[in-house]
Amino acid sequence: MSHILDGPAPGARQAQKQKTRQALLDAALRLLEEQSLSSLGLREVTRAAGVAPTAFYRHFRDTADLGVALVEEALGSLHTTLVATLAATGDGEERITAAVDLIAAYVRAYPAHARFIAREQHGGVKRVREAIGAQLTLFAQEVAAQFAKEPEAAGWSEDDLLMLARMYVDHMVMTASALLETDDDGPVTDTARRQLRLVGLGRLHWLDAPALDEPVRGN
Amino acid sequence: MSHILDGPAPGARQAQKQKTRQALLDAALRLLEEQSLSSLGLREVTRAAGVAPTAFYRHFRDTADLGVALVEEALGSLHTTLVATLAATGDGEERITAAVDLIAAYVRAYPAHARFIAREQHGGVKRVREAIGAQLTLFAQEVAAQFAKEPEAAGWSEDDLLMLARMYVDHMVMTASALLETDDDGPVTDTARRQLRLVGLGRLHWLDAPALDEPVRGN
DNA sequence: AATCTCGGAGAACAGTTGTTAACTGCATGG
DNA sequence: CCATGCAGTTAACAACTGTTCTCCGAGATT
């Protein structure tokens, strides 16, 4: 263990603090596999983490606050990975496989994190819902920005690109949730790939359609 | 009112029972607008319904049981409406508008029910999750069956039709959830229509693609 | 008219919750 | 080297939870 980077200025004291903080996050995440955040008790978490109830307040105001921290932990590191995956693959079937594999790998590596996001995306705690929504919107913007760089995006409005990107992002969350409720990934990833293929086909022919800016309102 | 099927005896007594049962369901649904089912307390519900805590047991074993009843109340009557809407409209833009309008009307008419479904679809109570999942699968099967009757489905495998239908159903739930978090339906329904248009375009060109039963595994 | 059924009320239980206050010990900065 | 800051502990609180048992009174049954 090197002491060079964590010792000098910061303090080995904060290391211990973040250690218990992480213990609280881990304990909470484990408990959240079988319940929702809005029913997660402060004492429940501290008990599972092996610390006194009052220690909780040194790190979080309440369980909603802890939930927001969990959102960052679950989604924060995914931005670079996602964008890198999209940038590294071309269009079409190759990219579809890469995207589905990415999410399947994530769900298998961090099932509790994935479950937490899928569950609390529409959950009962407003601040957490908003935090997840903001992250997903950010994902969509990043995906749209990546799309914009590619030749296939010629003629697309910014709004339509964002609409397309949101569809991909929302589909990822749906796929993750579906993966969590099965033990055989095969059928789920297969369906996910076919659905992405369908959207990709629609994308290819999007500009074939006549102008729909002001569709017939006769009805 | 027919008395033949209700049971052994008609009874104005059972009317009062179902009245309090409905009071419990209504009270629960109201409380669930700001929390998840897994944190919904039995006493909380009875207090809001204006009955004694012990009265709860005359109707439900626990709050999870009540949740399953809410799923039926929220989704049960929607099957006929959905199928009728699909059957009454042709393909293309007309059907897209009809479908989006249907879900927007539902969300506006029964916001608490819609919120409950969106929230508990991935929520912390297994039995309720399963009940919602079963209903949505049923929806998908009904939609797929309707699709199968139409000329556009020629050449489609049963599996692909179900995949397409699931996509529509899941997209409906997503749209409902998005509508619940905004007060201006315009942008949301607009995006939803464009996304459906995209999927519809993909559907039209689905058979153009080469056989993908055994895609290249070189990777 | 007498009896039975059963939805609902009331009281009490042991256990849990979030939050406050005052405390201990140790790493840290002067 | 000592005083300060602060992560974590202990104790206590009023409030709340799900559940059981007992009882009541008004339909329903005969």
Side-chain angles (χ1 to χ4, degrees):
Chain A
M1 324 283 186
S2 84
H3 303 249
I4 309 174
L5 290 176
D6 21 46
R13 192 73 196 104
Q14 288 196 337
Q16 175 61 21
K17 174 168 184 178
Q18 280 184 336
K19 191 179 158 192
T20 44
R21 183 190 140 99
Q22 193 59 45
L24 288 171
L25 289 171
D26 292 348
L29 207 54
R30 187 164 53 81
L31 292 166
L32 285 172
E33 294 193 39
E34 284 169 355
Q35 61 182 312
S36 307
L37 182 63
S38 78
S39 67
L40 187 70
L42 174 160
R43 297 184 97 107
E44 201 180 356
V45 176
T46 56
R47 194 185 314 131
V51 298
T54 49
F56 186 91
Y57 294 105
R58 303 287 183 191
H59 303 272
F60 309 103
R61 196 182 304 265
D62 46 34
T63 53
D65 205 37
L66 180 144
V68 173
L70 278 178
V71 174
E72 171 61 25
E73 181 173 287
L75 260 32
S77 68
L78 215 65
H79 291 267
T80 55
T81 312
L82 176 61
V83 173
T85 301
L86 289 185
T89 60
D91 210 40
E93 202 67 20
E94 180 196 7
R95 169 174 283 181
I96 289 178
T97 302
V100 172
D101 286 355
L102 171 64
I103 175 143
Y106 176 77
V107 170
R108 273 193 233 107
Y110 311 102
H113 287 85
R115 174 168 282 118
F116 169 74
I117 295 299
R119 182 160 295 170
E120 301 302 329
Q121 183 189 7
H122 309 289
V125 184
K126 190 174 184 181
R127 287 171 52 207
V128 172
R129 243 182 299 144
E130 289 170 346
I132 296 176
Q135 289 278 342
L136 294 185
T137 299
L138 199 57
F139 276 122
Q141 286 167 350
E142 290 165 354
V143 171
Q146 179 63 33
F147 283 170
K149 294 180 187 171
E150 301 166 2
E152 294 87 350
W156 281 65
S157 76
E158 205 171 319
D159 220 51
D160 283 345
L161 273 179
L162 197 60
M163 176 273 291
L164 178 68
R166 256 240 93 98
M167 195 141 186
Y168 279 125
V169 171
D170 289 338
H171 187 264
M172 281 188 191
V173 178
M174 266 179 23
T175 302
S177 171
L179 282 170
L180 286 168
E181 302 202 32
T182 184
D183 35 21
D184 181 12
D185 291 8
V188 176
T189 55
D190 190 63
T191 298
R193 270 188 295 267
R194 279 186 291 161
Q195 289 172 335
L196 288 180
R197 210 172 287 146
L198 193 73
V199 174
L201 281 172
R203 183 188 179 191
L204 286 178
H205 296 87
W206 182 250
L207 298 175
D208 300 352
L212 285 165
D213 300 315
E214 284 298 329
V216 180
R217 291 214 177 271
N219 175 308
Chain B
M1 325 278 189
S2 81
H3 304 246
I4 310 174
L5 293 174
D6 294 327
R13 193 77 197 103
Q14 288 196 339
Q16 174 62 19
K17 174 168 184 179
Q18 280 185 336
K19 191 179 158 190
T20 41
R21 183 190 141 101
Q22 193 59 45
L24 288 171
L25 289 172
D26 292 348
L29 206 54
R30 187 164 54 81
L31 292 166
L32 285 172
E33 294 194 40
E34 284 169 355
Q35 61 181 313
S36 307
L37 182 63
S38 79
S39 67
L40 187 69
L42 173 158
R43 296 184 96 107
E44 203 180 355
V45 176
T46 56
R47 194 185 315 131
V51 298
T54 50
F56 187 91
Y57 293 105
R58 303 290 184 189
H59 302 273
F60 308 104
R61 196 181 304 266
D62 47 33
T63 53
D65 206 35
L66 180 144
V68 173
L70 278 179
V71 173
E72 171 61 25
E73 180 174 287
L75 260 32
S77 68
L78 214 65
H79 291 267
T80 56
T81 311
L82 176 60
V83 173
T85 301
L86 289 185
T89 60
D91 211 38
E93 203 67 21
E94 179 196 8
R95 168 173 282 180
I96 289 177
T97 302
V100 172
D101 286 356
L102 171 65
I103 176 143
Y106 176 78
V107 170
R108 274 194 231 105
Y110 311 101
H113 286 86
R115 174 168 281 118
F116 170 74
I117 295 300
R119 183 159 295 170
E120 301 303 329
Q121 183 189 8
H122 309 289
V125 183
K126 191 173 184 181
R127 287 171 51 207
V128 172
R129 244 183 298 145
E130 289 171 345
I132 295 177
Q135 290 277 343
L136 294 185
T137 298
L138 200 56
F139 276 122
Q141 286 168 349
E142 290 165 354
V143 171
Q146 179 62 33
F147 283 171
K149 294 180 188 171
E150 301 166 3
E152 294 87 350
W156 281 64
S157 75
E158 206 172 319
D159 220 50
D160 283 345
L161 273 179
L162 197 60
M163 177 274 290
L164 178 68
R166 255 242 94 95
M167 198 145 185
Y168 280 125
V169 170
D170 289 338
H171 187 265
M172 282 189 189
V173 178
M174 267 179 24
T175 303
S177 172
L179 282 170
L180 286 168
E181 302 203 32
T182 184
D183 35 21
D184 181 14
D185 290 10
V188 175
T189 55
D190 190 63
T191 297
R193 270 188 295 266
R194 279 186 292 160
Q195 290 173 335
L196 288 181
R197 210 172 288 146
L198 193 73
V199 175
L201 281 172
R203 182 188 179 191
L204 286 178
H205 296 88
W206 182 250
L207 297 175
D208 300 351
L212 284 166
D213 299 315
E214 284 297 331
V216 180
R217 290 215 178 270
N219 172 314

